[in-house]
């Protein structure tokens, strides 16, 4: 996987692009530099509590930011029990 693919697949990059928000604009909204946001989207720097609070205020769950769920609200899709076919 290339660095470009990883950044493109980052949940926040996907969320930001789906809303037509540039890195520069989101960084400004978050009170960080575009370079810092870029590093965070690439996974080279971790998200911090302040970031999670910002996203929470904008309806984005920590689970989504961290890539644990594809649902921006953080809802997990139902899964089958052990040994059951999906």
């Amino acid at each position: 996987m290339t660095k470009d693919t990883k950044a493109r697949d980052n949940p926040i990059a996907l969320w930001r692009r789906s809303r037509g928000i540039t890195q520069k604009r989101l960084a400004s909204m978050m009170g960080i530099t575009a370079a810092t946001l870029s590093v965070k989207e690439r996974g080279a720097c971790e998200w911090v509590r302040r970031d999670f609070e910002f996203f929470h205020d904008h309806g984005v769950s920590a689970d989504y930011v961290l890539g644990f769920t594809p649902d921006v609200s953080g809802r997990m899709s139902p899964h089958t029990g052990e040994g059951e076919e999906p």
Side-chain angles (χ1 to χ4, degrees), residues 58-86:
H58 289 83
V60 180
S61 76
D63 283 344
Y64 179 80
V65 174
L66 295 170
F68 294 142
T69 178
D71 188 298
V72 79
S73 70
R75 287 188 298 264
M76 301 294 279
S77 53
H79 61 282
T80 58
E82 190 174 325
E84 295 179 21
E85 292 294 318

Side-chain angles (χ1 to χ4, degrees), residues 2 4 14 22 31-32 34 40-41 48 51-52 54 56 61-62 64 66 73-74 77 83:
T2 67
D4 290 337
L14 295 172
T22 64
I32 61 176
K40 289 181 182 212
E41 283 187 356
V48 296
D51 301 329
F52 292 116
F54 171 86
H56 173 78
S61 76
Y64 179 80
L66 295 170
S73 70
S77 53

Side-chain angles (χ1 to χ4, degrees), residues 34-45:
T36 298
L37 179 59
S38 175
V39 170
K40 289 181 182 212
E41 283 187 356
R42 287 195 319 265
C45 178

